Amino acid sequence: MESNGKSFDRNGEPVVYQTGGIVWGGVGTNMQHSFMQLVHQGTKLIPADFIGFSEPLFQDKQHHDILMANFYAQIKALAFGRSKEDVHLNLKMNGELDQLSKLLPYKVFSGSKPSNTFLLQKLTPSSLGMLIAMYEHKVFTQGILWNIYSFDQFGVELGKEIAKKMLKS
């Protein structure tokens, strides 16, 4: 995330657009029930980065295959969503057509949610370093595009000044 949350640009002018992103996430299927629910059905558009690995870190291929199936499924669900017609057909096939009017608003998903997919061969010190470098470059590039100083930290410095005064008193 670094320091792209700025309210003034490089010219000292107020910024009238959102700057900075929030980096958060989770590992494996646990994150589906917390973060992915927000991304799928929340009211704010949240672009997502998916980072996966072709080879498991530990040689449990069956577990890795399950994780990767969920990895790809969430990407596909965000991209394509689910139409009213698909919900109708699914409920019909499950003998739940009488629930259509009740469940329809909860089971339709718009899709077209932006995401990036990074598929690396295996988690290694080198691949982790590449990811860190890529995100650092992303912060720098965003700062240029938004015309802000990415790496100053005046807000952090203010907090430190206040903390020092509090410790003295």
Side-chain angles (χ1 to χ4, degrees), residues 107-162:
K107 290 189 168 267
V108 171
F109 300 98
S110 63
S112 296
K113 306 278 183 169
S115 68
N116 296 306
T117 303
F118 300 95
L119 185 62
L120 291 91
Q121 191 63 37
K122 188 172 185 174
L123 178 59
T124 64
S126 177
S127 64
L128 181 59
M130 287 189 295
L131 285 169
I132 292 169
M134 187 270 306
Y135 281 106
E136 190 73 12
H137 184 71
K138 176 183 173 182
V139 167
F140 169 77
T141 303
Q142 288 173 330
I144 297 298
L145 293 172
W146 292 330
N147 192 35
I148 60 174
Y149 290 114
S150 295
F151 301 101
D152 70 23
Q153 298 188 343
F154 294 114
V156 173
E157 290 173 22
L158 173 59
K160 289 178 182 180
E161 289 172 22
I162 293 170

Side-chain angles (χ1 to χ4, degrees), residues 21-47:
I22 298 172
V23 178
W24 48 269
V27 177
T29 54
N30 288 342
M31 58 84 103
Q32 288 182 157
H33 299 285
S34 52
F35 304 127
M36 291 310 300
Q37 187 61 47
L38 172 65
V39 175
H40 281 292
Q41 289 184 287
T43 56
K44 184 172 181 62
L45 181 65
I46 303 171

Side-chain angles (χ1 to χ4, degrees), residues 5-141:
K6 301 292 193 284
S7 53
F8 288 88
D9 68 14
R10 291 172 178 257
N11 305 320
E13 299 294 322
V15 174
V16 295
Y17 42 85
Q18 185 172 332
T19 63
I22 298 172
V23 178
W24 48 269
V27 177
T29 54
N30 288 342
M31 58 84 103
Q32 288 182 157
H33 299 285
S34 52
F35 304 127
M36 291 310 300
Q37 187 61 47
L38 172 65
V39 175
H40 281 292
Q41 289 184 287
T43 56
K44 184 172 181 62
L45 181 65
I46 303 171
D49 287 350
F50 291 87
I51 302 169
F53 300 93
S54 297
E55 294 179 32
L57 191 57
F58 306 103
Q59 298 307 313
D60 189 345
K61 183 173 174 4
Q62 181 181 9
H63 185 253
H64 184 74
D65 289 347
I66 293 168
L67 289 173
M68 292 307 292
N70 280 278
F71 172 85
Y72 289 117
Q74 290 298 335
I75 295 164
K76 185 175 180 179
L78 286 173
F80 302 109
R82 179 186 278 165
S83 68
K84 290 179 185 179
E85 295 77 19
D86 285 343
V87 173
H88 185 272
L89 180 61
N90 185 267
L91 291 174
K92 183 177 180 180
M93 290 176 65
N94 291 327
E96 299 174 303
L97 201 52
D98 58 327
Q99 298 290 313
L100 181 64
S101 62
K102 180 180 178 183
L103 295 176
L104 189 64
Y106 305 107
K107 290 189 168 267
V108 171
F109 300 98
S110 63
S112 296
K113 306 278 183 169
S115 68
N116 296 306
T117 303
F118 300 95
L119 185 62
L120 291 91
Q121 191 63 37
K122 188 172 185 174
L123 178 59
T124 64
S126 177
S127 64
L128 181 59
M130 287 189 295
L131 285 169
I132 292 169
M134 187 270 306
Y135 281 106
E136 190 73 12
H137 184 71
K138 176 183 173 182
V139 167
F140 169 77
T141 303

